[in-house]
Amino acid sequence: MKAALECTMIVLLHLAADYSFAGIDEANEALNNGRYTDAYKEYRKLADLGNTDAQFRLGQMYYDGTGLPQNYDKAANWFQKAAENGHVTAQSKLGTAYALGQGVKQDNRTAVLWLQKAAVLGDTDAQFNLAKKYSRGEGIQKNHYEAVKWLRSAADQGSVEAQFGMGFSYYQGEGVEKDYTLAMNWCKKAATRDHLGAIMLTALIYYNGDGVPQSYSNAFTWYKTAADKNNAAAQNHLGEMYRDGLGIPKDYKNAMKLFRKAAEQGNAEAQLNLGLLYFTGLGTSEDLIEAAKWFKLSAEQEYPYAQYALGLAYGSGAGVVLDFNRADLLLRKAEEQGIEDAGVQRIIISENRKAREIRKQKLLAEDIAAGKFMNDDYNVKADGYTWY
């Protein structure tokens, strides 16, 4: 009797498993075809039966807001169920949820625990995110060597983010010995897959000639690739190359167009560069007021070179009302951020201010001596003086 019961239970388990596999395929098909209500219903049935893939899929639907209102709390709940039942991608997603505080209380230690579980089992996202935790020292002791270990694992599996991370690590010498050749190799892999950071670093390596023959032409090509994607930093660099004639003939008008694009996106360097073109009248008519406007926008972002330029403008009254106090404040800020010439200019402006004051006092004395301030109707009582 007992043996027969056990046999029946085994058959039922197999039937349930067969239904589960059939059901998950139907649910996946419904999801892929945009039949979200059907997908949700089928996933929910299977999830309640303990199907980890269904639990994960439900979590992902809630996380993305696919076919139902986005809800991080419910997403984290389903990720947790699937993760505890060994679903690797769910473990990775749950780790990310804890890292970002999405649907759960932000907790880097717990994030690292779940990311480690998934990373060991080969999840590339978990490996990359764990590398970031080691690099930043979040939830675990900072360790660039461990960071590179996990970056390499993810990069070898094709993670474009990790490939850039490897390139950056070799370029900086973080967790590995500095090696510009390997930096370029990894960056090129990611750059050819349109990773913006890798494109920018590839351009910089060519620009500086770090481990490769220096080539403004190649740098220009890569910066243009990023600039065409509306990257403000690349637009600014490209503008500088047009302005200075690096790899291409000088072209102030193109430089101005690129500086403006970047400046209007809030790039502080481009705002200063645009202001300088207006100040010098290169590529446009000289306009000191417009120059000062862009200097101000850049200086408000605490960019020291803009503080220096704006300080000089206030010290000379170029495009702004002459203001020695403001000039000194701005130049002091620039000096504190390492602009040595700002200290020299503070002294010069201070001396100019003293000379100006002396000249004013001399002119005043001359005017008094000439009787320019004599008033025949002067009333002593008006100043409160009286003998009674």
Side-chain angles (χ1 to χ4, degrees), residues 49-75:
L49 290 171
N51 183 295
T52 57
D53 197 34
Q55 292 168 341
F56 166 72
R57 297 281 183 175
L58 273 179
Q60 196 65 52
M61 286 183 76
Y62 276 117
Y63 187 88
D64 294 333
T66 303
L68 56 146
Q70 188 177 58
N71 189 315
Y72 288 138
D73 290 348
K74 290 183 178 180

Side-chain angles (χ1 to χ4, degrees), residues 195-211:
H195 188 283
L196 197 53
I199 291 170
M200 292 293 287
L201 186 51
T202 300
L204 180 64
I205 290 172
Y206 275 123
Y207 189 93
N208 291 335
D210 293 324

Side-chain angles (χ1 to χ4, degrees), residues 26 71 80 112 124 138 174 212 268 279 283 297-298 331 337:
E26 292 173 2
N71 189 315
Q80 182 93 34
V112 167
T124 55
E138 294 176 344
E174 291 181 349
V212 297
F279 193 88
L297 289 171
S298 182
L331 290 170
Q337 293 190 71

Side-chain angles (χ1 to χ4, degrees), residues 151-228:
L151 275 177
R152 193 183 301 277
S153 294
D156 286 341
Q157 292 190 73
S159 167
V160 66
E161 293 283 357
Q163 288 170 347
F164 169 59
M166 287 298 297
F168 185 86
S169 296
Y170 275 114
Y171 187 78
Q172 295 291 105
E174 291 181 349
V176 288
E177 187 175 343
K178 185 177 287 192
D179 188 321
Y180 291 132
T181 302
L182 287 175
M184 177 62 98
N185 290 343
W186 281 111
C187 279
K188 277 280 191 72
K189 286 185 179 183
T192 53
R193 296 172 63 191
D194 275 346
H195 188 283
L196 197 53
I199 291 170
M200 292 293 287
L201 186 51
T202 300
L204 180 64
I205 290 172
Y206 275 123
Y207 189 93
N208 291 335
D210 293 324
V212 297
Q214 197 273 342
S215 173
Y216 288 132
S217 177
N218 284 333
F220 180 90
T221 298
W222 284 105
Y223 277 136
K224 188 175 186 307
T225 300
D228 288 344

